[in-house]
Amino acid sequence: MVPLAHQLANDTLENRHTKEWLRDYQRVRAASEALCAPLHREDYMVQSMPDVSPPKWHIAHVSWFFEAFLLTPFLKDYRSLDPAYDFLFNSYYETHGTPFPRPHRGVISRPTVDDVYRYRAHVDEAMARLLEAPPAEHADEILRRVELGLHHEQQHQELLVMDIKHILAQNPLCPAYRDDLRDDPATPPVATPGELAWLSYPAGVRRIGHDSETDGFAYDNEMPRHRQFVEAFEIADRPVTNGEFLAFIRDGGYRRPDHWLSDGWQQVQDQGWTAPLYWVQRDEGWYHMTLGGLVAVDEHAPVCHVSFYEADAYARWAGARLPSEAEWEIAAEGVEIRGNFVESDHLQPVASAADGTVPSQLYGDVWEWTGSAYRPYPGFRTLPGSLGEYNGKFMSGQMVLRGGCCATPRSHIRASYRNFFPPQARWAFSGFRLARDA
């Protein structure tokens, strides 16, 4: 799939046929349904913790987004399949209406899974009508919202994979989501990343963020592009591996408070953390839950499912630190966007060799924690209306991650992309690489 940012940026009705927009829409929508195809009906309903949404809710919510922000305002004769869906499947748009409480999404047994797929079909049919004959006076705004809606659905495709993994991991039978993943996780690709190397970058004033005039689509939180002075720094040529993180565990990393932030140490105490999420220790070694079932930990693969607190504690233990998001973006400048994305069909970080000359595995495999709080860039402005709630209102109490992961669609990522999670979150495909002052 050609990146949507390249396909849709700066397009108008005059230079891009609306059928191409519809094909993009259908391709993204089909990808969501393909991710759900291995699920059983019972899987669709489970909410394993408040941060996880049942797969049924994801499938409904992304349809609600198109209904609420495109069909209702722009398709004259549109009628919702059920007005109650506007309440049930609104995520957090308070200016649009009152959302159903997130921690209770798992109690909604009705509408059924079949009802939700009928809702998707209803929205898809209406979106086809809108895109085949959009009202000329609203064409540019429709295009902007279609593009935002497609990237929004791609975000939920990644969330689906994350949430499905967490749901299945609660089952003591350790069921596999799929038993036909590329390179079965039980026998991961053989690659040796080699000794960690450091790459140097000089001090100076750099431009950070998305350039809206040349770079195509981005979320509002990636803008505006702005100047930032960065001191000279070094960054690791690859992410920290499972084997390296095991050394931290064996050295008492989870038993000693001296490397931990106070809030992080409190999490260790309260939650009983002794290893990354999904890891279990057996007599013969460490195993972890994957979407292919329970398998031995590959010591060469990037460590995954660690919180910001764990990443920060490891960095202190290693005599280093986490990079700032500006440092990460500087390191990513000129690096080709390629790696282990959802299309690779591993759905798990895999080992890769690094050559020590350019940053390896910047994209794909694991979202990389940075040391930067999720705050607005200088001159940041939210989108108008309810869509302004998309990112801006979460700019408190969260940390920035960069680079995408093994569950991210390739066409969804870019160097300026700012993901964000609370520092204690572990169910995302999150890892990290080290940095240090020059």
Side-chain angles (χ1 to χ4, degrees):
M1 177 176 170
V2 177
L4 293 168
H6 295 162
Q7 293 178 355
L8 299 177
N10 304 318
D11 277 334
T12 65
L13 280 173
E14 288 72 32
N15 65 16
R16 187 168 189 268
H17 198 282
T18 56
K19 288 191 182 299
E20 293 181 46
W21 306 354
L22 181 56
R23 282 195 291 270
D24 293 335
Y25 174 87
Q26 292 169 337
R27 190 157 45 234
V28 171
R29 298 282 281 174
S32 300
E33 296 185 15
L35 287 172
C36 290
L39 298 177
H40 296 281
R41 281 293 189 264
E42 293 80 0
D43 298 326
Y44 278 92
M45 275 298 302
V46 180
Q47 184 172 25
S48 50
M49 68 170 176
D51 286 337
V52 162
S53 295
K56 183 180 76 171
W57 186 89
H58 283 293
I59 288 295
H61 167 71
V62 290
S63 295
W64 169 87
F65 189 95
F66 287 109
E67 179 177 77
F69 297 119
L70 279 148
L71 297 175
T72 299
F74 298 123
L75 190 60
K76 272 188 178 179
D77 61 346
Y78 181 74
R79 296 291 181 271
S80 178
L81 199 62
D82 188 330
Y85 292 176
D86 194 53
F87 165 58
L88 291 177
F89 302 127
N90 177 358
S91 53
Y92 51 72
Y93 295 89
E94 304 276 356
T95 58
H96 176 84
T98 303
F100 185 82
R102 179 177 182 175
H104 304 305
R105 290 170 183 169
V107 306
I108 306 173
S109 60
R110 311 283 177 89
T112 66
V113 174
D114 289 338
D115 291 334
V116 163
Y117 274 101
R118 276 191 288 272
Y119 178 45
R120 276 183 75 87
H122 177 78
V123 168
D124 288 346
E125 184 275 331
M127 282 296 296
R129 286 192 284 123
L130 177 65
L131 292 177
E132 284 169 351
E137 66 273 24
H138 299 302
D140 288 342
E141 181 62 20
I142 288 171
L143 173 59
R144 280 189 289 271
R145 294 192 185 192
V146 166
E147 185 171 31
L148 177 62
L150 294 179
H151 279 274
H152 169 258
E153 182 139 350
Q154 288 183 309
Q155 280 184 308
H156 277 270
Q157 289 166 3
E158 179 177 316
L159 286 167
L160 266 169
V161 177
M162 287 166 45
D163 290 0
I164 290 167
K165 183 172 184 176
H166 193 272
I167 288 166
L168 295 178
Q170 309 316 304
N171 189 324
L173 302 179
C174 300
Y177 159 69
R178 282 176 46 199
D179 58 10
D180 62 342
L181 290 172
R182 181 182 171 196
D183 297 317
D184 184 340
T187 55
V190 177
T192 303
E195 291 297 317
L196 185 145
W198 294 94
L199 306 174
S200 299
Y201 298 84
V205 176
R206 303 298 187 93
R207 289 196 170 272
I208 303 299
H210 175 79
D211 187 341
S212 58
E213 295 186 2
T214 62
D215 290 347
F217 175 84
Y219 291 120
D220 57 358
N221 65 357
E222 301 170 51
M223 297 181 278
R225 191 163 174 82
H226 60 283
R227 292 175 299 170
Q228 184 170 337
F229 178 79
V230 178
E231 294 284 1
F233 69 96
E234 296 179 334
I235 197 167
D237 68 334
R238 57 167 176 76
V240 170
T241 65
N242 288 318
E244 289 165 336
F245 201 84
L246 272 168
F248 169 72
I249 295 173
R250 290 165 180 155
D251 194 43
Y254 284 93
R255 300 192 303 273
R256 295 164 42 190
D258 44 319
H259 300 302
W260 293 82
L261 293 169
S262 177
D263 288 350
W265 183 245
Q266 192 64 49
Q267 287 286 323
V268 171
Q269 301 295 98
D270 292 347
Q271 304 300 321
W273 291 350
T274 59
L277 183 64
Y278 305 131
W279 283 36
V280 294
Q281 190 173 23
R282 296 186 171 176
D283 291 342
E284 63 271 34
W286 285 96
Y287 289 75
H288 60 162
M289 182 66 177
T290 73
L291 286 157
L294 189 69
V295 301
V297 169
D298 175 10
E299 295 196 9
H300 298 307
V303 68
C304 189
H305 297 300
V306 291
S307 66
F308 166 81
Y309 293 133
E310 290 161 289
D312 181 78
Y314 177 95
R316 294 167 189 265
W317 173 81
R321 59 175 173 81
L322 299 179
S324 70
E325 64 169 323
E327 290 171 339
W328 192 99
E329 192 167 322
I330 289 166
E333 187 174 349
V335 176
E336 182 184 356
I337 299 179
R338 60 185 178 85
N340 172 22
F341 295 106
V342 70
E343 294 86 355
S344 303
D345 210 34
H346 294 296
L347 301 187
Q348 182 71 16
V350 297
S352 177
D355 64 11
T357 61
V358 295
S360 172
Q361 294 177 287
L362 271 178
Y363 297 106
D365 283 304
V366 291
W367 283 104
E368 297 185 8
W369 287 107
T370 72
S372 297
Y374 179 53
R375 295 291 294 147
Y377 284 159
F380 169 75
R381 295 291 183 272
T382 60
L383 297 172
S386 293
L387 289 172
E389 295 189 67
Y390 199 105
N391 285 308
K393 73 180 189 179
F394 299 110
M395 290 177 170
S396 173
Q398 318 236 31
M399 303 302 289
V400 174
L401 303 91
R402 294 295 195 112
C405 72
C406 57
T408 307
R410 163 64 183 80
S411 62
H412 185 61
I413 203 65
R414 55 201 161 270
S416 61
Y417 195 116
R418 305 176 78 200
N419 199 0
F420 53 93
F421 280 103
Q424 72 274 14
R426 308 210 295 170
W427 94 107
F429 288 89
S430 50
F432 62 100
R433 75 178 61 222
L434 299 176
R436 64 187 184 188
D437 300 333

